[in-house]
Structures are given as structure tokens and as C-alpha cells.
Amino acid sequence: MRELVFNAIKRDSYFLEYVYRRIAQPIASVGGICTLNDSGDKLSLGVAVCDECFSAVNKAAKSAVAEVLAVGYKNRFLKEKINIDTSSLLGRTLLDTMCIFDSNYDTNVIKKNILEINNLSIDGCYNFRLKEIKEKWKEIVALSNNYSAFFEEESVILDFLTYLMDAIPCLCDSVTVLVDLQKNNFQLVDGADRLLTKFETFLEKDDLAEQVLFNLICFNPNVVRYCGDMDELGEEFCYVVNEIFNVREFLDTKLQ
């Protein structure tokens, strides 16, 4: 048997819980062990698998950790340093789009950096092993802050959002959004009525409208259909989604 150990401080436990959700079932399917342990001030994730399965499991686990760092920690980094008003949904959507924009590149670079580490502190990795990636993030912050006055205008933010989204691949031609406000949940369906797997937002606050927009930007569909009343998610959501997507029709049905 070979082992992997991941740690995270308490504040970042939800990041490690995401890694656990990503790898627990595949590890169990090959007879391995995957456990979460809460020691009070930190959370630990332990993995043990047979030698034959270790390489595949290691790659899957490091991919999940790299995604956490490339999207979750980058979002936090930008929010702390960039001069954009994140009290508005539009401002937060711009920040989220900046994270999505080159997340595949960042994820691949980070994965290569951590692939051979079998005992990994996620917050420690963020603080001490991401120099190359964080320099790139700092450049984004510096460039954005140099033009921060322009980002006070909604029209400029929307233009910049459109520019960023032009570089994000379209993963699905049509996406239908189904929202259940009572359960604070939503689902996404493609043009063939197949349920889509949602992207993890890593948001620290449970904002349903922001989660929906984050996923729509990740899929970047040519057409967005909304089932139900879009006003349920607020006036600002309606404004943003109509400005950056082709919202073609509204259906008087809701999530079952």
C-alpha cells in the first residue's frame, strides 16, 4: 500500500472536503481507503491504495488540489488585492471570470509542481510553492488596479467581461437553468435534456445567483434558457445574465 496525506487549516476545510468528494468513490472502487480527520484546528485527508493504483489515484487527487488552488485560492487572492467593488453581483462575476479565464493553464502548472509530494499542506502550498503562478496573479492585479477608475462604470465591466468570455471555450451550445429557491439549489440541463455536472465555485459565501452565473460562464453557452421566474434570483442577476448571454426563452416550470 502507498499513502497520500493532505492537510488544510480550519478556515480552508471546505477546500479539502471538495478534494475528498472528488476522489473518495474512485478510491473505494479499487479497494483503497480515503478518510477525513478533524483535529480541531485543521482537517486532514488520508489516502491509502495499492501500488498498482497509486499513480492514477495520485494524479486524480493532485488534479483536485490544483483546481482548488487555481480557482478557490486565486479568487481569494484577487478579492484581497484588486480594486473592484465585490459588493455587487456584477463585480463578483467579473472577478470570478478572471479566475475562470486561465484556470486550465494555472491548474496544469500547479499539478506539475505538486505531483511528487505525498504529504501536502494545501495552505502551505499556496503560501510557499506557487511563486510563478502568484507572480502572474500579481500582474493581473496591477493591471486591473491601474485602470480601476474605469471599473466603476458598469458598461466598462460588461465590455471587459465580454472580452474575457471570448477566450473561454463554449462547452455546451444550449444550457437550461432550473432553480429551487426553497432548497437553495439549481440544476443545469443541455439541449438534449441531459443533466450537466456543475462546476465547483469554491465560494466562501453561499450566493445562489453568483453560483449560477459562475457555471454559465464556465459552460459559456450560445443560448441560455431559464425555467421559472428569473426575478427569483434578483434584479441584478436578471440584468447581468441578459447582458452577457443570449437568453432566448422563459418557461413556466420549476425544478422538481
Side-chain angles (χ1 to χ4, degrees):
M1 297 285 281
R2 296 187 63 181
E3 297 181 355
L4 292 169
V5 178
F6 303 94
N7 300 292
I9 57 175
K10 199 68 173 179
R11 176 192 178 188
D12 299 339
S13 59
Y14 68 102
F15 288 146
L16 200 55
E17 289 165 355
Y18 167 75
V19 176
Y20 173 79
R21 292 195 302 273
R22 278 278 302 273
I23 65 175
Q25 194 280 326
I27 288 173
S29 70
V30 296
I33 300 169
C34 185
T35 59
L36 275 174
N37 299 293
D38 189 340
S39 63
D41 60 340
K42 69 176 183 179
L43 194 69
S44 297
L45 171 60
V47 173
V49 293
C50 64
D51 291 352
E52 293 79 5
C53 300
F54 180 78
S55 178
V57 168
N58 182 46
K59 288 177 181 177
K62 300 301 173 52
S63 291
V65 172
E67 186 182 345
V68 162
L69 291 162
V71 180
Y73 277 90
K74 181 181 181 181
N75 194 294
R76 181 185 294 171
F77 180 91
L78 295 183
K79 279 181 179 175
E80 290 173 350
K81 299 182 182 297
I82 209 163
N83 295 331
I84 292 175
D85 180 15
T86 56
S87 65
S88 71
L89 179 61
L90 182 58
R92 294 194 302 279
T93 300
L94 174 58
L95 207 71
D96 292 340
T97 307
M98 288 179 174
C99 294
I100 297 165
F101 174 70
D102 53 0
S103 59
N104 287 337
Y105 171 84
D106 288 355
T107 299
N108 289 332
V109 170
I110 294 169
K111 181 180 175 181
K112 290 177 182 177
N113 187 284
I114 64 176
L115 193 60
E116 302 303 321
I117 305 173
N118 292 345
N119 193 324
L120 180 67
S121 165
I122 294 181
D123 49 286
C125 181
Y126 169 72
N127 289 322
F128 302 112
R129 300 189 65 90
L130 298 187
K131 183 177 179 180
E132 176 187 348
I133 290 295
K134 288 170 83 171
E135 286 299 321
K136 185 163 72 76
W137 296 352
K138 288 176 183 177
E139 290 175 6
I140 295 172
V141 170
L143 183 63
S144 299
N145 287 348
N146 284 341
Y147 296 95
S148 60
F150 294 101
F151 289 126
E152 294 175 4
E153 300 180 26
E154 286 188 354
S155 61
V156 174
I157 294 178
L158 287 166
D159 286 345
F160 191 46
L161 265 173
T162 302
Y163 166 75
L164 292 175
M165 290 181 63
D166 283 343
I168 297 174
C170 172
L171 301 183
C172 192
D173 182 64
S174 171
V175 171
T176 300
V177 182
L178 306 98
V179 172
D180 186 337
L181 284 183
Q182 291 184 337
K183 295 181 179 178
N184 196 42
N185 188 29
F186 70 98
Q187 291 181 357
L188 302 173
V189 178
D190 69 9
D193 294 329
R194 294 171 299 201
L195 194 64
L196 296 170
T197 300
K198 293 182 287 187
F199 287 85
E200 178 60 54
T201 64
F202 304 109
L203 299 175
E204 296 186 60
K205 292 186 178 179
D206 196 15
D207 186 323
L208 189 61
E210 187 176 353
Q211 289 181 47
V212 173
L213 275 169
F214 184 100
N215 271 269
L216 288 176
I217 290 166
C218 287
F219 283 107
N220 198 13
N222 294 316
V223 178
V224 172
R225 295 184 172 89
Y226 192 94
C227 288
D229 184 0
M230 278 180 59
D231 289 336
E232 293 177 324
L233 289 179
E235 182 179 337
E236 191 175 11
F237 172 84
C238 296
Y239 170 70
V240 174
V241 78
N242 276 294
E243 286 293 325
I244 62 178
F245 291 106
N246 176 17
V247 183
R248 185 168 291 179
E249 65 184 51
F250 304 85
L251 306 175
D252 191 21
T253 57
K254 298 189 180 183
L255 183 64
Q256 299 298 316

